[in-house]
């Protein structure tokens, strides 16, 4: 057996990887790719929330929004700290990487339009984070990450519950109920996209083979819908998905993937797309991608410029 096959067999039997010395190169590569996506996702969730948190209807909501953002920064710090321990130059990763090379979800490249959208953001996207990271906590073979996720999972649950509270309250008023529905109309399918391409189109299986995560993309998508769809239905919000009794699974009622009207922030349900087309859209990034990444990098770059000016 090869070194990779030996390690795969060990982790599938429950072996926990604790040190770099326990890994082969393929394990380390898959783990670092996963942690980069997690770190970028957590960190780049903050700029969209910052666009509207000042619109909080009262002080309690504003404090909660700030607490959510503080949590997300902490989650990002955990992922980047683990990457640093694996040999990544985190300063270069954060402050030298071009904005279009970041691995955050496409949904995070958009500013939010109103306070209600912050609630839907939490209710749908933090639910996706809770689904993904809950699966990692349950199944991951990487010990340091599993221990860190005890804290992260509890906080992601708090975030999605905050979103549910805002959405429920929003549905009690006709004007804000319209905002809830409009936000769900563009965010729901982006929530589906959080989990990546369909399993039939996924070319690499290292995350599963090495038990970095436990469930495949389509399984995680189903798990997300199993709570997102009933919740939305329970408060009177329409979603483009339903549970099919015959198939015993959730079914998306519109083409997925489908094309997206960037200017109007609207899904073109009469224009199906391909997974390759979705990936290409991701690579082009969304409208605020560059600005949001610049917010992260701005302070460090300005400080370096001041140092150079003083030195000269």
């Amino acid at each position: 057996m090869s070194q990779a096959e030996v390690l795969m067999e060990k982790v599938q039997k429950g072996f926990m990887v604790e040190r770099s010395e326990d890994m082969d190169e393929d394990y380390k590569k898959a783990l670092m790719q996963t942690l980069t996506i997690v770190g970028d996702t957590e960190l780049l969730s903050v700029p969209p929330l910052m666009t509207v948190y000042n619109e909080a209807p009262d002080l309690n909501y504003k404090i909660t929004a700030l607490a959510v953002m503080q949590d997300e920064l902490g989650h990002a710090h955990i992922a980047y700290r683990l990457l640093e321990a694996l040999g990544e130059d985190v300063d270069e990763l954060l402050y030298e990487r071009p904005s279009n090379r970041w691995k955050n979800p496409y949904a995070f490249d958009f500013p939010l339009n109103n306070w209600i959208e912050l609630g839907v953001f939490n209710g749908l996207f933090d639910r996706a984070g809770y689904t993904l990271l809950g699966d990692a906590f349950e199944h991951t073979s990487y010990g340091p990450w599993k221990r860190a996720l005890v804290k992260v999972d509890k906080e992601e649950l708090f975030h999605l519950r905050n979103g549910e509270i805002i959405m429920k309250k929003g549905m009690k008023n006709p004007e804000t109920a319209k905002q809830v529905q409009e936000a769900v109309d563009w965010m729901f399918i982006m929530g589906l996209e959080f989990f990546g391409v369909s399993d039939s189109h996924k070319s690499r299986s290292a995350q599963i083979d090495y038990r970095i995560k436990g469930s495949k993309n389509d399984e995680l998508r189903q798990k997300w819908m199993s709570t997102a769809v009933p919740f939305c239905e329970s408060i009177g919000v329409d979603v483009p998905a339903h549970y099919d009794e015959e198939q015993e699974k959730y079914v998306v009622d519109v083409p997925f993937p489908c094309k997206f009207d960037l200017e109007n922030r609207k899904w073109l349900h009469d224009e199906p797309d391909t997974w390759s087309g979705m990936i290409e859209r991701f690579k082009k990034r969304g409208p605020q991608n560059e600005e949001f990444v610049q917010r992260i990098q701005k302070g460090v770059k300005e400080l370096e410029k001041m140092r150079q000016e003083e030195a000269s």
Side-chain angles (χ1 to χ4, degrees):
M1 294 176 67
S2 67
Q3 182 183 6
E5 289 172 332
V6 170
L7 181 55
M8 285 180 192
E9 184 176 320
K10 287 174 66 178
V11 298
Q12 290 297 334
K13 291 180 178 178
F15 175 72
M16 295 299 294
V17 175
E18 294 290 345
R19 309 168 302 156
S20 294
E21 291 80 0
D22 297 329
M23 308 172 188
D24 60 29
E25 284 303 311
D26 288 339
Y27 182 102
K28 185 175 181 180
K29 180 180 178 181
L31 176 62
M32 293 181 74
Q33 288 174 338
T34 301
L35 291 173
T36 301
I37 292 170
V38 170
D40 290 357
T41 296
E42 299 284 8
L43 184 56
L44 265 299
S45 70
V46 175
L49 299 175
M50 286 287 292
T51 61
V52 293
Y53 91 97
N54 266 327
E55 297 180 19
D58 60 43
L59 183 60
N60 182 60
Y61 275 120
K62 179 174 279 192
I63 291 172
T64 302
L66 289 170
V68 168
M69 288 186 276
Q70 178 176 299
D71 288 345
E72 303 292 26
L73 294 174
H75 301 171
H77 175 72
I78 289 169
Y80 294 134
R81 177 174 54 80
L82 292 173
L83 280 167
E84 188 172 37
L86 293 168
E88 180 69 76
D89 185 335
V90 172
D91 283 343
E92 181 177 342
L93 188 72
L94 290 176
Y95 305 118
E96 301 298 331
R97 197 171 19 145
S99 60
N100 64 348
R101 299 295 299 276
W102 285 61
K103 305 297 184 183
N104 58 290
Y106 184 73
F108 292 2
D109 288 344
F110 293 81
L112 301 181
N113 291 329
N114 50 60
W115 170 255
I116 292 296
E117 285 200 338
L118 181 144
V120 179
F121 188 105
N122 286 163
L124 295 183
F125 299 154
D126 284 280
R127 185 184 305 272
Y130 182 68
T131 302
L132 286 160
L133 297 178
D135 175 80
F137 171 69
E138 183 178 355
H139 297 289
T140 187
S141 61
Y142 188 49
W145 194 26
K146 186 178 183 71
R147 291 187 289 275
L149 287 172
V150 174
K151 164 184 166 66
V152 173
D153 276 3
K154 290 178 180 178
E155 291 172 350
E156 291 291 353
L157 181 60
F158 157 61
H159 302 171
L160 80 86
R161 294 296 184 231
N162 179 62
E164 290 181 342
I165 289 169
I166 294 171
M167 291 172 71
K168 283 180 180 178
K169 186 173 182 180
M171 292 302 293
K172 295 179 180 179
N173 175 286
E175 182 179 345
T176 51
K178 183 173 182 288
Q179 291 179 335
V180 173
Q181 185 63 64
E182 288 174 346
V184 170
D185 286 344
W186 74 269
M187 289 188 187
F188 186 87
I189 293 180
M190 287 196 180
L192 293 173
E193 291 183 341
F194 257 70
F195 304 97
V197 301
S198 69
D199 296 337
S200 61
H201 286 75
K202 191 168 176 62
S203 58
R204 296 187 294 270
S205 61
Q207 288 179 317
I208 297 292
D209 295 339
Y210 284 111
R211 209 162 54 83
I212 292 170
K213 69 175 189 177
S215 302
K216 296 180 180 179
N217 292 356
D218 290 335
E219 294 170 336
L220 291 167
R221 212 175 338 259
Q222 283 289 318
K223 187 170 184 179
W224 179 78
M225 284 193 285
S226 74
T227 59
V229 173
F231 170 72
C232 288
E233 291 176 341
S234 73
I235 63 172
V237 176
D238 294 329
V239 292
H242 71 280
Y243 186 74
D244 187 294
E245 297 284 353
E246 187 174 326
Q247 298 183 60
E248 296 184 336
K249 69 175 186 178
Y250 281 87
V251 175
V252 181
D253 299 327
V254 297
F256 178 68
C258 66
K259 293 187 178 179
F260 183 67
D261 179 347
L262 182 63
E263 184 176 346
N264 295 304
R265 207 176 296 198
K266 182 179 179 181
W267 294 99
L268 305 177
H269 296 159
D270 56 346
E271 296 186 32
D273 202 355
T274 62
W275 291 107
S276 297
M278 186 189 83
I279 292 170
E280 189 61 30
R281 169 164 51 85
F282 280 22
K283 288 180 178 179
K284 290 179 181 178
R285 304 307 319 185
Q288 302 299 117
N289 167 255
E290 186 173 357
E291 178 185 334
F292 286 167
V293 171
Q294 284 178 350
R295 290 187 190 182
I296 303 297
Q297 298 176 339
K298 181 180 179 182
V300 167
K301 290 186 174 181
E302 287 183 349
L303 181 59
E304 181 59 27
K305 184 179 179 181
M306 289 173 57
R307 285 172 174 166
Q308 290 176 357
E309 288 173 351
E310 289 176 0
S312 62

